[in-house]
Amino acid sequence: EDPSLERHFKGHRDAVTSVDFSCAKKQLASGSMDSCLMIWSMKPQMRAYRFMGHKDAVLCVQFSPSGHLVASGSRDKTVRLWIPSVKGESTVFKAHTATVRSVHFSSDGQSLVTASDDKTVKVWTVHRQKFLFSLSQHINWVRCARFSPDGRLIVSSSDDKTVKLWDKTSRECIHSFCEHGGFVNHVDFHPSGNCIAAGGTDSTVKLWDVRMNRLLQHYQGNAVVNSLSFHPSGNYLVTASSDSTLKILDLLEGRLLYTLHGHQ
């Protein structure tokens, strides 16, 4: 056993595709190719709930800011909103016509943005649980979509090798970043809302200023970047790569700080 690992969670019957943590509820959510969503308690009694409802692989999961809901997106073309309790009740959102790869709540928990292989980004209301509108200028699969911290902007990344910035109110694309050499797997807003980070198959991580639309930082790796996440302070970025490593980037110094080995 690796002494630095706190705990192994075993329960999925196939590859785990996605995880999210709720600080509010001290729970972990995971999605899997086994079509199930699982909720794990981090408390000592360690209850785990298996939620069934999706008809195909679950590719993305996220807790709402309060932790009272979990959203999931699936290869069955649907999005589900779950109440993470014993009953595991869920509501189904149907509007995408292909695999849903990304789900993200706005910081006020009122809206949900989803991204799909149908080349669209869709926005939904959480309270009334209905579809609001589509953003459809990408010309290939959309891998990821995120709200800005203030909820006014949406960023999306696609296999058309672009990252697009959208105004939520006008529903228009206000800028396309086209300088990536490959598919863009993941994109997210800096906690300040002033810049975005994007990573993809060209093994790079790029930080863009969304006010001036210019490149701020560029990190060249040697493996596909699958996912990334900012530290809440905004000073660090963690990336997950196909070389089985995590990398922590120091954004103030503009350099690689650590490479974390552990996955096989």
Side-chain angles (χ1 to χ4, degrees):
E1 285 291 315
D2 181 342
S4 66
L5 280 176
E6 283 205 354
R7 205 175 280 147
H8 285 275
F9 297 95
K10 294 188 171 119
H12 284 296
R13 300 185 173 104
D14 204 340
V16 178
T17 58
S18 47
V19 290
D20 191 39
F21 189 68
S22 167
C23 291
K25 293 283 186 181
K26 296 278 191 295
Q27 287 178 324
L28 186 74
S30 56
S32 167
M33 299 300 280
D34 66 8
S35 307
C36 291
L37 173 82
M38 290 195 71
I39 305 287
W40 313 82
S41 169
M42 306 301 281
K43 295 177 186 137
Q45 69 271 22
M46 282 298 299
R47 285 297 300 276
Y49 302 115
R50 184 190 307 277
F51 294 161
M52 286 135 88
H54 281 298
K55 308 280 192 292
D56 205 336
V58 178
L59 299 184
C60 48
V61 294
Q62 199 210 9
F63 279 100
S64 64
S66 67
H68 293 308
L69 293 169
V70 180
S72 59
S74 168
R75 214 155 55 182
D76 67 11
K77 309 175 189 175
T78 70
V79 174
R80 280 180 181 261
L81 268 189
W82 307 81
I83 298 165
S85 64
V86 185
K87 283 195 220 160
E89 297 162 355
S90 66
T91 315
V92 190
F93 288 12
K94 290 180 182 170
H96 283 296
T97 56
T99 295
V100 181
R101 298 212 174 251
S102 169
V103 291
H104 186 242
F105 285 96
S106 56
S107 56
D108 63 5
Q110 298 299 304
S111 305
L112 190 71
V113 64
T114 58
S116 167
D117 287 3
D118 65 12
K119 306 175 191 173
T120 71
V121 171
K122 295 192 189 296
V123 177
W124 316 72
T125 65
V126 171
H127 178 57
R128 291 204 300 286
Q129 303 186 339
K130 67 178 200 219
F131 168 69
L132 286 178
F133 59 87
S134 268
L135 304 171
S136 40
Q137 280 186 31
H138 283 294
I139 54 171
N140 206 331
W141 295 359
V142 189
R143 295 267 173 185
C144 186
R146 296 285 184 265
F147 283 109
S148 59
D150 64 9
R152 292 186 308 162
L153 299 173
I154 292 167
V155 68
S156 59
S157 65
S158 166
D159 282 12
D160 63 14
K161 302 185 180 178
T162 70
V163 170
K164 291 189 187 294
L165 201 60
W166 310 82
D167 183 298
K168 183 175 178 264
T169 309
S170 69
R171 304 176 186 182
E172 286 179 2
C173 177
I174 52 179
H175 192 76
S176 281
F177 299 98
C178 307
E179 292 80 355
H180 284 271
F183 301 159
V184 188
N185 287 329
H186 202 100
V187 67
D188 204 0
F189 275 94
H190 186 272
S192 69
N194 295 332
C195 70
I196 54 169
T201 60
D202 63 0
S203 306
T204 68
V205 173
K206 289 180 175 173
L207 269 77
W208 304 95
D209 185 310
V210 298
R211 297 162 300 180
M212 312 292 286
N213 297 329
R214 65 187 178 91
L215 185 64
L216 292 173
Q217 291 184 2
H218 176 190
Y219 299 89
Q220 182 65 54
N222 48 17
V224 170
V225 180
N226 296 312
S227 172
L228 50 82
S229 177
F230 282 100
H231 187 271
S233 69
N235 297 338
Y236 305 97
L237 185 72
V238 62
T239 66
S241 304
S242 289
D243 61 2
S244 309
T245 69
L246 304 180
K247 289 185 166 55
I248 298 176
L249 305 173
D250 184 329
L251 303 181
L252 298 181
E253 299 274 335
R255 66 183 178 95
L256 174 64
L257 194 61
Y258 300 116
T259 299
L260 304 178
H261 302 271
H263 289 291
Q264 272 106 55

